[in-house]
Amino acid sequence: ILMIYIGEYEILNNNKSTLKDTSIDSANNEYMTESDIEVINFDEVAKKYKVLRGITDLPTSNDALFIGENEIFFIEFKNGQIDANNIRLKICDSMWMLTDIIEQNISYMRENVKYILVYNPQKKQRNIRISASREDIKRRFKKKGKDNLVSFGLKRLEKLYINEAFTYTKEDFEEEFVKIYS
């Protein structure tokens, strides 16, 4: 695995933040996590990338990019409705921006980058065919079997754009990511 050294890339290095700050739902002034894990605010990277490349429209972007010792994660926080098509667009736009910034190809992303969608199951969901209670039951069975339940059609992006996808409730995210990487 070829890891990214943030210091080499000014656009990444100058947009460091915390998970908490990147998780804010500004419309409701709510945070999806209280974690102070250092990440890159990828929404800010997208704004600077737009200027750098002279792009007319702002590319869609994931909220955060976490670069660990051996893992890279894009993280998107959704405290309200989830539009699966918009999520896929954010993944693609973010991947293309990152490949350009670090001068790698999509194969690098496919092999090294994982994706996490953190959502609030108490909020009304759109474009979802599975009820919240049914999804909770599936999640419990998958957890017992040590398998990862990937919702919102994101599983099909594995090995196409990303290495692995995860969909976590806020509580699952704290357990499965924050506790591990804190």
Side-chain angles (χ1 to χ4, degrees):
I1 187 169
L2 173 64
M3 290 308 297
I4 301 169
Y5 174 63
I6 298 170
E8 290 181 37
Y9 307 98
E10 186 177 330
I11 195 169
L12 300 179
N13 196 40
N14 291 342
N15 288 292
K16 292 178 184 173
S17 187
T18 63
L19 265 178
K20 178 182 179 177
D21 289 341
T22 60
S23 78
I24 190 165
D25 170 4
S26 50
N28 298 306
N29 201 29
E30 295 175 4
Y31 293 94
M32 298 280 290
T33 182
E34 295 294 321
S35 174
D36 61 358
I37 292 174
E38 184 178 89
V39 295
I40 296 162
N41 182 330
F42 214 74
D43 285 333
E44 289 301 315
V45 169
K47 290 175 188 172
K48 291 185 175 74
Y49 185 86
K50 174 189 174 197
V51 172
L52 183 69
R53 294 290 180 238
I55 301 169
T56 307
D57 295 324
L58 183 65
T60 61
S61 57
N62 295 305
D63 294 317
L65 175 65
F66 172 81
I67 301 174
E69 286 184 31
N70 296 312
E71 293 181 293
I72 303 168
F73 290 90
F74 269 117
I75 304 169
E76 177 67 17
F77 295 97
K78 283 295 180 194
N79 194 35
Q81 293 184 346
I82 295 174
D83 179 338
N85 290 326
N86 180 261
I87 296 296
R88 283 191 290 279
L89 183 60
K90 285 183 177 203
I91 291 170
C92 291
D93 281 4
S94 294
M95 290 293 183
W96 286 115
M97 283 185 281
L98 186 59
T99 58
D100 187 29
I101 291 166
I102 66 171
E103 299 175 337
Q104 290 292 330
N105 60 28
I106 196 67
S107 294
Y108 175 87
M109 299 294 151
R110 192 179 303 123
E111 293 167 14
N112 297 294
V113 178
K114 298 177 183 182
Y115 179 82
I116 298 173
L117 173 66
V118 183
Y119 67 99
N120 186 344
Q122 279 70 48
K123 301 285 180 160
K124 185 180 177 207
Q125 303 299 318
R126 180 176 57 166
N127 294 341
I128 301 171
R129 295 186 179 125
I130 301 171
S131 71
S133 58
R134 185 174 171 193
E135 186 167 322
D136 186 50
I137 292 167
K138 283 175 66 177
R139 186 172 301 285
R140 289 173 198 247
F141 276 107
K142 288 279 191 176
K143 203 171 212 175
K144 284 192 181 289
K146 305 285 188 225
D147 199 2
N148 176 32
L149 173 66
V150 181
S151 302
F152 315 112
L154 298 178
K155 186 78 172 167
R156 68 188 180 127
L157 300 180
E158 289 183 348
K159 309 304 181 224
L160 178 61
Y161 299 114
I162 54 179
N163 183 279
E164 196 170 3
F166 302 89
T167 51
Y168 294 137
T169 62
K170 294 185 330 178
E171 295 77 19
D172 289 342
F173 181 66
E174 295 297 321
E175 191 69 31
E176 301 291 331
F177 185 86
V178 173
K179 280 187 179 180
I180 293 169
Y181 293 98
S182 287

